[in-house]
CSV table of all heavy atoms in Angstrom, one decimal:
chain,number,residue,atom,x,y,z
N,73,ARG,N,138.6,206.6,69.1
N,73,ARG,CA,140.0,206.3,69.4
N,73,ARG,C,140.8,207.5,70.0
N,73,ARG,O,141.6,207.3,70.9
N,73,ARG,CB,140.7,205.8,68.1
N,73,ARG,CG,140.4,204.4,67.6
N,73,ARG,CD,141.3,203.9,66.5
N,73,ARG,NE,141.0,202.6,66.1
N,73,ARG,CZ,140.1,202.3,65.1
N,73,ARG,NH1,139.6,203.3,64.4
N,73,ARG,NH2,139.9,201.1,64.7
N,74,SER,N,140.5,208.6,69.4
N,74,SER,CA,141.3,209.8,69.9
N,74,SER,C,140.8,210.3,71.3
N,74,SER,O,141.5,210.9,72.0
N,74,SER,CB,141.2,210.9,68.9
N,74,SER,OG,139.9,211.4,68.6
N,75,LYS,N,139.5,210.1,71.5
N,75,LYS,CA,138.9,210.6,72.7
N,75,LYS,C,138.6,209.4,73.7
N,75,LYS,O,137.5,209.0,73.9
N,75,LYS,CB,137.5,211.3,72.4
N,75,LYS,CG,137.7,212.6,71.6
N,75,LYS,CD,136.4,213.3,71.3
N,75,LYS,CE,136.5,214.5,70.5
N,75,LYS,NZ,135.2,215.2,70.3
N,76,LYS,N,139.7,208.9,74.3
N,76,LYS,CA,139.6,207.7,75.1
N,76,LYS,C,138.7,208.0,76.4
N,76,LYS,O,138.2,207.0,77.0
N,76,LYS,CB,141.0,207.3,75.5
N,76,LYS,CG,141.8,206.8,74.3
N,76,LYS,CD,143.2,206.3,74.8
N,76,LYS,CE,144.0,205.8,73.6
N,76,LYS,NZ,145.3,205.2,74.0
N,77,ASP,N,138.6,209.2,76.8
N,77,ASP,CA,137.8,209.5,77.9
N,77,ASP,C,136.5,210.3,77.6
N,77,ASP,O,136.0,211.1,78.4
N,77,ASP,CB,138.6,210.4,79.0
N,77,ASP,CG,139.7,209.5,79.6
N,77,ASP,OD1,139.5,208.3,79.9
N,77,ASP,OD2,140.9,210.1,79.7
N,78,SER,N,136.0,210.1,76.4
N,78,SER,CA,134.8,210.6,76.0
N,78,SER,C,133.6,210.0,76.7
N,78,SER,O,133.8,208.9,77.3
N,78,SER,CB,134.5,210.5,74.5
N,78,SER,OG,134.5,209.1,74.1
N,79,SER,N,132.5,210.6,76.8
N,79,SER,CA,131.4,210.1,77.7
N,79,SER,C,130.9,208.7,77.2
N,79,SER,O,130.7,207.9,78.1
N,79,SER,CB,130.2,211.1,77.7
N,79,SER,OG,129.8,211.4,76.3
N,80,ILE,N,130.8,208.5,75.9
N,80,ILE,CA,130.4,207.2,75.4
N,80,ILE,C,131.4,206.1,75.7
N,80,ILE,O,131.0,205.0,76.1
N,80,ILE,CB,130.0,207.3,74.0
N,80,ILE,CG1,129.2,206.0,73.5
N,80,ILE,CG2,131.2,207.5,73.1
N,80,ILE,CD1,128.0,205.7,74.3
N,81,ARG,N,132.6,206.4,75.6
N,81,ARG,CA,133.7,205.4,75.9
N,81,ARG,C,133.8,205.1,77.4
N,81,ARG,O,134.0,203.9,77.8
N,81,ARG,CB,135.0,205.8,75.3
N,81,ARG,CG,136.0,204.6,75.3
N,81,ARG,CD,137.1,204.8,74.3
N,81,ARG,NE,138.0,203.7,74.4
N,81,ARG,CZ,139.1,203.6,73.7
N,81,ARG,NH1,139.4,204.5,72.7
N,81,ARG,NH2,140.0,202.6,73.9
N,82,VAL,N,133.7,206.1,78.2
N,82,VAL,CA,133.7,205.9,79.6
N,82,VAL,C,132.5,205.1,80.1
N,82,VAL,O,132.6,204.2,80.9
N,82,VAL,CB,133.7,207.3,80.4
N,82,VAL,CG1,133.5,207.1,81.9
N,82,VAL,CG2,135.0,208.0,80.1
N,83,ALA,N,131.3,205.3,79.5
N,83,ALA,CA,130.1,204.6,79.8
N,83,ALA,C,130.3,203.1,79.5
N,83,ALA,O,130.0,202.2,80.2
N,83,ALA,CB,128.9,205.1,79.1
N,84,ALA,N,130.9,202.8,78.3
N,84,ALA,CA,131.1,201.4,77.9
N,84,ALA,C,132.1,200.8,78.7
N,84,ALA,O,132.0,199.6,79.1
N,84,ALA,CB,131.5,201.4,76.4
N,85,ARG,N,133.1,201.5,79.1
N,85,ARG,CA,134.2,201.0,80.0
N,85,ARG,C,133.7,200.6,81.4
N,85,ARG,O,134.2,199.6,82.0
N,85,ARG,CB,135.3,202.0,80.1
N,85,ARG,CG,136.6,201.5,80.7
N,85,ARG,CD,137.7,202.6,80.8
N,85,ARG,NE,137.9,203.2,79.5
N,85,ARG,CZ,138.1,204.5,79.2
N,85,ARG,NH1,138.2,205.3,80.2
N,85,ARG,NH2,138.4,204.8,78.0
N,86,MET,N,132.7,201.3,81.8
N,86,MET,CA,132.1,200.9,83.1
N,86,MET,C,131.5,199.5,83.1
N,86,MET,O,131.6,198.8,84.1
N,86,MET,CB,131.0,202.0,83.5
N,86,MET,CG,131.6,203.3,83.9
N,86,MET,SD,130.2,204.5,84.3
N,86,MET,CE,129.5,203.7,85.8
N,87,VAL,N,130.9,199.2,82.0
N,87,VAL,CA,130.3,197.8,81.8
N,87,VAL,C,131.4,196.8,81.8
N,87,VAL,O,131.4,195.8,82.4
N,87,VAL,CB,129.4,197.7,80.5
N,87,VAL,CG1,128.9,196.3,80.4
N,87,VAL,CG2,128.3,198.7,80.6
N,88,ALA,N,132.5,197.1,81.0
N,88,ALA,CA,133.6,196.2,80.9
N,88,ALA,C,134.3,196.0,82.2
N,88,ALA,O,134.8,194.8,82.5
N,88,ALA,CB,134.6,196.7,79.9
N,89,GLU,N,134.3,197.0,83.1
N,89,GLU,CA,135.0,196.9,84.4
N,89,GLU,C,134.0,196.4,85.5
N,89,GLU,O,134.4,196.3,86.7
N,89,GLU,CB,135.6,198.2,84.8
N,89,GLU,CG,136.7,198.7,83.9
N,89,GLU,CD,137.2,200.1,84.2
N,89,GLU,OE1,136.5,200.8,85.0
N,89,GLU,OE2,138.2,200.5,83.6
Side-chain angles (χ1 to χ4, degrees):
R73 284 193 181 92
S74 62
K75 297 180 177 180
K76 295 183 179 180
D77 292 319
S78 60
S79 55
I80 190 57
R81 191 158 176 182
V82 170
R85 193 178 302 145
M86 288 179 64
V87 176
E89 294 175 349

